[in-house]
Amino acid sequence: MTPGSPANLPLIGLLRSASGRFALLFTAMFAAAATAAAVVLWWNTAGALDRQTDAAIRADSTALVERQRDAGLPGLVGAIEDRLALDVQNESLYLLLSPDRRVLAGNLAVWPAEANADPPWIRMPLLRDGTESEARMLRVDLPDQHRLLVGRDVAEKLRLRGLLSEGIAWAASSSAAIALLGAWLLRRSLERRLMPVYGTAAAIAAGDLSRRVPLSDRQDEFDRLGMTMNAMLDRIATLMEGVRGVSDAIAHDLRTPIARARAKLEEALGDATDEEALRAAVEQGIADLDGIARVFKAVLRIAEVEAGARRAAFAPVDMAPSLADAADLYGAAAEAREQVLAVELPEALNLVGDRDLLLQAVANLLDNALKFTPDGGRVALSARVMEGMVEIAVADDGPGLAPEDRARAGERFFRADTSRNTPGSGLGLSLVRAVVALHGGDVLLEDTAPGRDPPGLTVRLRLPA
């Protein structure tokens, strides 16, 4: 039969199916267990009977040899006759032969040909009273060339062995049927538990991202698989929603500067009276386009951080000198607006991470704080180590964030109503959140001075030390 014949197709399909392989493994293990049980049962019954028979023959022959040694040949003949007289079950077999092959004692008429072989133990067919039987015998070579056979008729033991074999065969057949039934039930159970996963995956592949794997109350491996898949699908849905939100935000927030740059260039093209005016309009258009390019660059950088591409650059770093450099850089900008930049840093701030990303996150926070703090206000940069965490905080005296806006702060292009008129693209805090998430930390937003108007805003970055 060829490998591709129809008779082989169900077996191939069974082997390709994981549930089918589990079912076959279950059947094989069940069959192995049943075989082991049958072997143990046979060893403890039929094998025990054979060992018991051999032990009895060996002990009887040893006693007869000792009797011949003590009382001579007449004593041996008398011992054999006594044993035959006491054998109620008619199972004992004896034959004592003289050197000239005369029968001296025993209940066997002739010396069997099987007893002339080298092995002393003999198993031979036996005909007694017209009934076929079987004998188990031991040949003993006596002094003066006398020969002795000691054995037992094992017909009853053979019948018992046959009954035992028949019982084992029936038990094996029943075990095979039960194993096949169990394998079929196991396969059906696995397929039934996995069917919701198949359906959910097919629906997701068809575009229905709202589908989730239904869970039972058993909390077993399949439920844990379903919960993991549902968490993965929730994450995918969140990312897809974020992509849609970013697309909408890009279309909305970049349309205005692009349209403004185009309008200025058209106006300059039509109304410019001299080369100097035309040059100024072109320079303004280039500046607007540079701002748009910076937005795209920030979006790509956030995507790179969220994808974990920068994790390979992680190394032990001391952020204290870098934060001090950032404070010096932004201190000049604060002085230009008559603002105060207070700095409180420890001597060392050791953690494992990407120095450049962390410094850019802090720079974004300082830039926002200076941008939203009014002239003459105060901005504070501080850091400390507490309970195995490194905390970097930037506090300002600006308008702060309403509680309902804090939940959305960090979304790309999100800007609160109070900051609509402030230059920016709404990507600074998004990058901060992405960098902190990459380092396994948290971003906390809170009022600088609760109850004060304006309350200000404090952003705390908590990173594992």
Side-chain angles (χ1 to χ4, degrees):
M1 185 176 293
T2 60
S5 60
N8 287 332
L9 292 180
L11 179 60
I12 294 175
L14 187 66
L15 293 177
R16 287 179 178 175
S17 168
S19 59
R21 291 194 297 271
F22 280 125
L24 289 178
L25 177 62
F26 169 81
T27 304
M29 293 182 64
F30 195 93
T35 302
V39 170
V40 172
L41 179 62
W42 184 270
W43 174 262
N44 290 329
T45 52
L49 291 175
D50 291 340
R51 292 190 297 273
Q52 182 181 2
T53 300
D54 290 352
I57 294 174
R58 188 180 293 107
D60 197 8
S61 63
T62 301
L64 290 175
V65 170
E66 292 178 356
R67 178 66 175 171
Q68 188 268 343
R69 185 183 303 115
D70 294 339
L73 190 61
L76 175 59
V77 172
I80 293 175
E81 292 176 351
D82 291 342
R83 281 168 168 74
L84 290 175
L86 296 175
D87 184 15
V88 179
Q89 297 180 350
N90 196 24
E91 291 183 350
S92 298
L93 299 173
Y94 299 97
L95 179 59
L96 177 61
L97 207 64
S98 66
D100 56 359
R101 303 186 68 81
R102 286 185 302 108
V103 177
L104 300 180
N107 55 353
L108 294 178
V110 295
W111 184 268
E114 292 85 353
N116 295 322
D118 290 337
W121 285 99
I122 308 159
R123 185 176 293 274
M124 52 176 283
L126 185 66
L127 184 62
R128 301 185 68 188
D129 301 328
T131 304
E132 291 185 358
S133 180
E134 186 172 322
R136 176 68 168 165
M137 307 192 74
L138 175 63
R139 187 189 70 234
V140 180
D141 295 325
L142 299 173
D144 301 330
Q145 296 184 353
H146 287 80
R147 307 179 78 183
L148 175 65
L149 283 179
V150 181
R152 296 290 185 271
D153 186 343
V154 294
E156 290 297 329
K157 294 180 176 60
L158 291 178
R159 281 191 288 271
L160 179 60
R161 181 184 296 178
L163 292 175
L164 180 62
S165 300
E166 184 179 356
I168 290 178
W170 279 104
S173 302
S174 302
S175 299
I178 294 174
L180 292 175
L181 177 62
W184 181 78
L185 292 175
L186 176 62
R187 184 183 181 188
R188 286 292 304 273
S189 176
L190 288 173
E191 290 180 346
R192 186 172 62 253
R193 292 303 307 275
L194 291 175
M195 194 60 67
V197 179
Y198 299 155
T200 302
I204 294 294
D208 184 6
L209 296 180
S210 63
R211 287 286 296 274
R212 296 294 181 269
V213 178
L215 304 176
S216 66
D217 297 330
R218 288 188 282 267
Q219 298 295 319
D220 55 10
E221 293 82 358
F222 295 99
D223 284 334
R224 290 197 291 272
L225 173 63
M227 288 188 288
T228 303
M229 286 193 62
N230 289 341
M232 177 188 67
L233 294 174
D234 290 339
R235 177 61 176 166
I236 291 174
T238 301
L239 293 176
M240 293 296 294
E241 186 65 28
V243 169
R244 285 193 292 268
V246 169
S247 301
D248 294 342
I250 288 177
H252 181 271
D253 285 26
L254 295 185
R255 182 175 56 198
T256 300
I258 291 175
R260 183 171 61 248
R262 186 179 186 279
K264 289 181 178 179
L265 292 175
E266 285 185 346
E267 181 181 355
L269 184 62
D271 300 340
T273 56
D274 53 15
E275 182 181 352
E276 187 66 26
L278 184 59
R279 178 183 295 275
V282 171
E283 290 177 352
Q284 181 61 42
I286 291 174
D288 292 338
L289 293 177
D290 287 341
I292 296 172
R294 283 194 297 273
V295 171
F296 277 109
K297 184 178 179 181
V299 171
L300 293 176
R301 188 166 182 79
I302 293 172
E304 178 188 13
V305 172
E306 289 181 342
R310 295 293 297 266
R311 193 177 296 275
F314 276 26
V317 296
D318 182 5
M319 288 301 298
S322 299
L323 295 180
D325 292 342
D328 293 339
L329 178 63
Y330 283 91
E335 290 178 1
R337 300 183 57 180
E338 298 182 353
Q339 296 171 338
V340 176
L341 178 57
V343 180
E344 183 180 352
L345 300 175
E347 294 183 359
L349 202 64
N350 297 313
L351 51 84
V352 177
D354 188 318
R355 182 195 305 270
D356 295 337
L357 286 180
L358 292 172
L359 184 59
Q360 182 172 357
V362 175
N364 284 2
L365 295 180
L366 289 173
D367 185 72
N368 284 343
L370 295 176
K371 185 190 306 180
F372 290 103
T373 299
D375 294 347
R378 182 178 184 273
V379 175
L381 170 63
S382 62
R384 59 177 177 169
V385 179
M386 46 176 288
E387 299 178 357
M389 301 290 290
V390 170
E391 183 181 271
I392 303 173
V394 176
D396 61 50
D397 292 340
L401 274 177
E404 59 272 15
D405 291 335
R406 292 177 189 173
R408 298 189 59 193
E411 294 181 6
R412 299 179 193 180
F413 298 105
F414 172 76
R415 307 188 71 193
D417 293 337
T418 56
S419 62
R420 286 294 178 182
N421 297 324
T422 305
S425 59
L427 294 174
L429 196 53
S430 297
L431 180 60
V432 172
R433 284 193 180 275
V435 170
V436 173
L438 181 67
H439 287 77
D442 296 316
V443 178
L444 303 179
L445 305 178
E446 57 189 33
D447 291 337
T448 302
R452 189 186 67 187
D453 188 22
L457 179 66
T458 299
V459 183
R460 300 185 186 275
L461 311 183
R462 290 186 176 176
L463 305 167

